[in-house]
Amino acid sequence: MSILDLKQAVLEANLDTVRDGLVMATFGNASGIDRASGQVVIKPSGVSYDTMTSEDMVAVRLDGTRVDHHLRPSSDLDTHLVLYRAFEGIGSVIHTHSTYATIYAQALVPIPCLGTTHADYFCGEIPVTRYLRADELGEHYVAATGEAIVEALKGRDPMAIPAILVAGHGPFVWGATPKSAALNALILEECARMAWFTRQLNPDITAIPDALRDRHFFRKHGNSATYGQEKVV
Amino acid sequence: MSILDLKQAVLEANLDTVRDGLVMATFGNASGIDRASGQVVIKPSGVSYDTMTSEDMVAVRLDGTRVDHHLRPSSDLDTHLVLYRAFEGIGSVIHTHSTYATIYAQALVPIPCLGTTHADYFCGEIPVTRYLRADELGEHYVAATGEAIVEALKGRDPMAIPAILVAGHGPFVWGATPKSAALNALILEECARMAWFTRQLNPDITAIPDALRDRHFFRKHGNSATYGQEKVV
Amino acid sequence: MSILDLKQAVLEANLDTVRDGLVMATFGNASGIDRASGQVVIKPSGVSYDTMTSEDMVAVRLDGTRVDHHLRPSSDLDTHLVLYRAFEGIGSVIHTHSTYATIYAQALVPIPCLGTTHADYFCGEIPVTRYLRADELGEHYVAATGEAIVEALKGRDPMAIPAILVAGHGPFVWGATPKSAALNALILEECARMAWFTRQLNPDITAIPDALRDRHFFRKHGNSATYGQEKVV
Amino acid sequence: MSILDLKQAVLEANLDTVRDGLVMATFGNASGIDRASGQVVIKPSGVSYDTMTSEDMVAVRLDGTRVDHHLRPSSDLDTHLVLYRAFEGIGSVIHTHSTYATIYAQALVPIPCLGTTHADYFCGEIPVTRYLRADELGEHYVAATGEAIVEALKGRDPMAIPAILVAGHGPFVWGATPKSAALNALILEECARMAWFTRQLNPDITAIPDALRDRHFFRKHGNSATYGQEKVV
């Protein structure tokens, strides 16, 4: 994918999150990466969704230096960069404050895998990071958010659990492409909503059986070479 | 109804579920059957709702062999076929992941008949299947889902209870025609939603009196020759 | 108001309830009365909202005999007629299955007056009828519903409490005109919704002080000659 | 900003609240103030949102005397005036009955600061006023509402907590401009909604750490000369 195509895809992912009701006001941003050139493309800061074009998308290098552009990148850029450096398989990162995912982040409760809708996209519960410490709230705050995400995902495959809840803040979601990351953000929100109501209806309910979860996840994600090939498909 | 008309009716039922907010992303499919020829018409797999036409609908025989078509049928086809073979009175099957019906399916809680909205379309509670066993999750999984539905409905009239919740998954709904099945799917979702909030408001509430339930159900369904003629209408 | 104008007003009230999301599928009907001629105008049965015109509205006399028309009146007509005969001050009746009002009706819980939004339109809690008895479910069922409403409102001013919840069924709402009855139906739904969440948030909350309730209700309804003139305005 | 520009901005803020779903029926009003001339511009009473123009906005002086106009100002004018006189930094006041903020007002429960969405706009919990006393419900009622708001905010910076819940009634929100007040009203509603669901999910959850709250609030509001410059930015 050329950088121009990537900018178009990142624009569309940003607009998808707004159209899907995942982003209120300016609480959201999507980015994508071209692994060949190491360039990350992200939504600019403070441009209206109504008039935003693909040319407004800002390209930076993985170390955060600017490739082009008169516009400033999203203020959450550093979180995205940390995730791209830590998770080599991902091609896009999206941040929203979507209602129910944010509710779980605020409650410090992981989203359990209570059904096949969840298992079709996330192979297990969605974890919550710890709160950032006071010493992480200075200039390094945005990058520290990324580091807390990586810490919380330790020991899990980021392509099998392509989302996280930042404590007291909201979800970050990723995927192979901007399009799939935007879909993951939408599914995450619906799964969070359904999990909330499911647990209130039956507080004793636990995650679906592992075999059922894997049956669904690997049906949709079985082509990935990095995990799961030895499991039941 | 000709196969062409059936394809049009199945297309419209698919679009109805999207318009009514019952289907997020691609989590849904509707089919219909022509009992005279034994042909089942179902949504193709992986075609966008925005551009889908009646010609895209795929016709297969009751044993699953293809009648026509370059497109693959919905991956849930085998569940539909099991239901058509088991329930002779039904003319259409619809699967959605509609939010509140799925919440009940995830909680493993039947939807109780708490009001006349429910009783106008469903003559009693909507049951939940058991979880599928590990040995049912292989190639036979989709058909096994249908078999679990038939098992859970044993002893009930499928036209009096035209819906089921598949444990940890979501609802399957049916009806005499694609149009009525789509309406049943919509009513089911609203009844599930109202039941959830009713029980939280008054945890002691039980189903409405049987006589009131029957008064409503048989007012709308009294012409059916297969049940209920001896009851109060 | 001429019968033609009344038919137009009744049409608009029916369309208002659909536009406001109070009526799913065909679960609703609005009527109005011309007290001078004793004619009641009501939605026809089984005509689509999309194509319905004011000429489709059906006029009947207070005893239920038809004044005109090839179309059948709404199947809930007899409930409306009982209310017009019992409550002389009302000019319009509306029935919906709006979600939260129906939830209270299903839970057999009155809607308490928890705020000024409620008090601006309803001067106290909205009562629930008893369930209809088995002997009331025959041919007389629809009229018996009206009689249960009148019974439940005994001792209250129907213009001060212009709504009721029919047990296990849903709300009936009324007002001086079709326009005001439609507004009452909308406000009732929002008050039911807010009451549900208010009580879950604070189970100990009770109704707002009577003086605050009256301050709001009689600000909007103080011109009525039939009640409240001696109270604080 | 000229009075003509202010009228346009106030019109837009009124329309924003309707578009954002914060105002049902006529339950809302927005105003703005030109501090140089001491003129307050507010929505007229009883004009439809569909046809309302900037010329319909009514200008009054801070003492409530009319500057211009054939239309009557909103019946809530006196509450707005009390707030403009008490809080010198504010440029706009908005009143809505938005669903979840009103639920908290009805439950007499402050909205806790459970996440960064809240902290980006409100530097702490949103308080609730006391109920108005019976002796405050006469002609002075609307002004007394403003006085109860000022009383409830005592000891807090109105620019750091630009919203309040009037007990049993609903929210009043303010800001530097009509545009920012309308945004505050929208964010308040979403924060109230998320707080409700967060607390039900985890009843033990408490406010986010103060340092995290301040990090977010002062990032967006750090240019204000009136508070916070000495805190961590």
Side-chain angles (χ1 to χ4, degrees), chain B residues 212-223:
Chain B
L212 179 58
R213 179 197 68 203
D214 290 352
R215 173 64 176 78
H216 273 263
F217 186 77
F218 292 107
R219 180 175 64 167
K220 294 216 171 189
H221 305 274
N223 290 332

Side-chain angles (χ1 to χ4, degrees), chain C residues 23-43:
Chain C
V23 166
M24 182 190 54
T26 58
F27 289 115
N29 39 73
S31 71
I33 188 169
D34 173 46
R35 289 285 176 184
S37 66
Q39 287 188 23
V40 171
V41 167
I42 193 165
K43 193 186 84 142

Side-chain angles (χ1 to χ4, degrees), chain B residues 52-155:
Chain B
M52 201 182 278
T53 68
S54 66
E55 293 173 12
D56 293 334
M57 301 299 114
V58 182
V60 302
R61 294 184 195 85
L62 260 179
D63 63 5
T65 55
R66 210 73 76 74
V67 174
D68 58 15
H69 235 278
H70 53 294
L71 292 172
R72 288 174 44 235
S74 162
S75 61
D76 286 326
L77 171 66
D78 286 356
T79 309
H80 293 239
L81 294 179
V82 169
L83 299 185
Y84 287 123
R85 290 193 299 253
F87 304 152
E88 293 186 1
I90 72 179
S92 175
V93 171
I94 292 181
H95 174 46
T96 78
H97 286 206
S98 71
T99 305
Y100 286 93
T102 301
I103 285 162
Y104 272 85
Q106 292 191 160
L108 310 180
V109 174
I111 304 172
C113 179
L114 299 181
T116 63
T117 317
H118 183 117
D120 279 334
Y121 289 86
F122 306 97
C123 195
E125 74 171 22
I126 311 299
V128 188
T129 70
R130 58 173 175 78
Y131 278 133
L132 293 206
R133 295 181 309 263
D135 66 278
E136 295 171 310
L137 299 176
E139 282 189 15
H140 191 59
Y141 174 57
V142 180
T145 299
E147 289 157 13
I149 291 171
V150 174
E151 179 187 323
L153 265 190
K154 188 170 256 184

Side-chain angles (χ1 to χ4, degrees), chain C residues 114-117 120-121 183 186-187 190 193-194 196-198 200-202 205 208-209 211-212 215-216 219-220, chain D residues 24-27 75-76 97 99-100 102-104 106-109 131 134 137-138 141 167-169 196-197 200:
Chain C
L114 299 181
T116 63
T117 318
D120 279 335
Y121 289 86
L183 181 56
L186 174 63
I187 304 291
E190 178 68 1
R193 179 157 76 131
M194 295 200 298
W196 193 98
F197 286 91
T198 300
Q200 295 280 332
L201 180 58
N202 181 356
I205 200 70
I208 57 173
L212 179 59
R215 173 63 176 78
H216 273 263
R219 180 175 65 167
K220 294 217 171 188
Chain D
M24 182 191 52
T26 58
F27 288 114
S75 61
D76 285 326
H97 286 206
T99 304
Y100 286 93
T102 301
I103 285 162
Y104 272 84
Q106 292 190 160
L108 309 180
V109 174
Y131 278 132
L137 299 176
Y141 174 57
H169 190 147
W196 194 97
F197 286 92
Q200 295 280 330

Side-chain angles (χ1 to χ4, degrees), chain D residues 49-113:
Chain D
Y49 285 102
D50 294 335
T51 59
M52 202 183 277
T53 69
S54 66
E55 294 174 10
D56 294 333
M57 301 300 114
V58 182
V60 301
R61 294 183 195 87
L62 260 178
D63 62 5
T65 55
R66 210 73 76 75
V67 174
D68 59 14
H69 236 278
H70 54 294
L71 292 172
R72 289 173 44 235
S74 161
S75 61
D76 285 326
L77 171 65
D78 286 357
T79 309
H80 292 239
L81 294 179
V82 169
L83 299 184
Y84 285 123
R85 291 193 299 253
F87 304 152
E88 293 187 0
I90 72 179
S92 174
V93 172
I94 293 181
H95 173 47
T96 79
H97 286 206
S98 70
T99 304
Y100 286 93
T102 301
I103 285 162
Y104 272 84
Q106 292 190 160
L108 309 180
V109 174
I111 304 171
C113 179

